[in-house]
Amino acid sequence: DIQMTQSPSSLSASIGDRVTITCRASQDISNSLAWYQQKAGNAPKLLVSDASRLESGAPSRFSGAGSGTDHTLTISNLQPEDFATYYCQQYYSTPRTFGRGTRVEIK
Amino acid sequence: QVQLVQSGAEVKKPGSSVKVSCKASGGTFSGYILTWVRQAPGQGLEWMGRIAPNLGTTHYGQAFQGRATITANSATATTYLELISLTSDDTAVYYCARGRGDGFPNWGQGTLVTVSS
């Protein structure tokens, strides 16, 4: 199974900050990576697929980058509604493994 | 706009089984992959397995091999997850999700399964 190591596990940031979350795969997954946002009590919401393709309806302040083993999700100009937990997931092979999540909290 | 509507919360005894359903409204199964993901209280997301209804093929995570069964009824656009030999470690919210293999844009609302004596 491909292991997805996500960091940091949590971070504190202020409104307007730029934050970056990293996801490292245990092997080359090309660009077969998705990012999700999850708010308490809700199902995850797909933000980015194919490592950098923003989903319809996702704000443009979210951007994904990377290929191979190293991937990032960047939120520029952090907004109040962005405080949530973010997960990466690889779909290069089955099982489709998730990272352990990054909780973004208000400083 | 497709919606995935899951069955209601369940309370089960250790050693019993549970079957959760997920119905697609406003859409079909054709060409999609239906996946089950669970989330234990305060924990992350765990991929359990998936089914491709048009191919009839299933794949399961190693932790669920032999204990989980995913089925689908294309006529009713419903997928099912059955989990047997429940323990307290199976207490979680179970989600169904639909996609084409490049991430899951559609999710059910989640079904809380509580395993308690």
Side-chain angles (χ1 to χ4, degrees), chain B residues 10-65:
Chain B
E10 303 262 12
V11 179
K12 294 293 182 178
K13 299 285 190 187
S16 67
S17 63
V18 68
K19 192 169 187 176
V20 182
S21 68
C22 168
K23 181 176 175 62
S25 62
T28 68
F29 278 174
S30 179
Y32 290 94
I33 295 170
L34 282 304
T35 295
W36 287 90
V37 174
R38 78 176 184 180
Q39 186 169 39
Q43 302 301 306
L45 303 170
E46 184 176 22
W47 188 90
M48 299 182 69
R50 67 173 191 177
I51 187 167
N54 58 335
L55 299 175
T57 55
T58 53
H59 290 89
Y60 297 95
Q62 193 167 11
F64 302 101
Q65 287 276 1

Side-chain angles (χ1 to χ4, degrees), chain A residues 36 38 53 89 91 96, chain B residues 39 47 50 95 101-102 104:
Chain A
Y36 299 86
Q38 187 181 33
R53 180 165 57 95
Q89 183 210 14
Y91 46 87
R96 310 299 211 210
Chain B
Q39 186 169 39
W47 188 90
R50 67 173 191 177
Y95 292 103
D102 58 350
F104 308 125

Side-chain angles (χ1 to χ4, degrees), chain A residues 8-107:
Chain A
S9 56
S10 66
L11 65 88
S12 296
S14 301
I15 302 298
D17 282 355
R18 176 186 178 96
V19 301
T20 297
I21 300 167
T22 298
C23 191
R24 174 166 289 176
S26 60
Q27 67 183 72
D28 188 340
I29 59 169
S30 186
N31 66 337
S32 300
L33 186 99
W35 289 97
Y36 299 86
Q37 177 193 66
Q38 187 181 33
K39 297 182 180 180
N42 291 314
K45 174 186 175 183
L46 180 63
L47 292 175
V48 171
S49 60
D50 293 342
S52 61
R53 180 165 57 95
L54 197 65
E55 289 295 305
S56 173
S60 59
R61 61 182 178 273
F62 291 92
S63 62
S67 185
T69 60
D70 294 331
H71 299 265
T72 58
L73 176 72
T74 298
I75 313 171
S76 57
N77 189 22
L78 198 66
Q79 295 299 298
E81 59 267 32
D82 301 336
F83 292 95
T85 300
Y86 295 85
Y87 295 92
C88 62
Q89 183 210 14
Q90 65 81 20
Y91 46 87
Y92 185 82
S93 68
T94 301
R96 310 299 211 210
T97 41
F98 289 91
R100 299 186 70 173
T102 295
R103 184 174 179 180
V104 177
E105 301 173 317
I106 300 174
K107 182 182 286 184

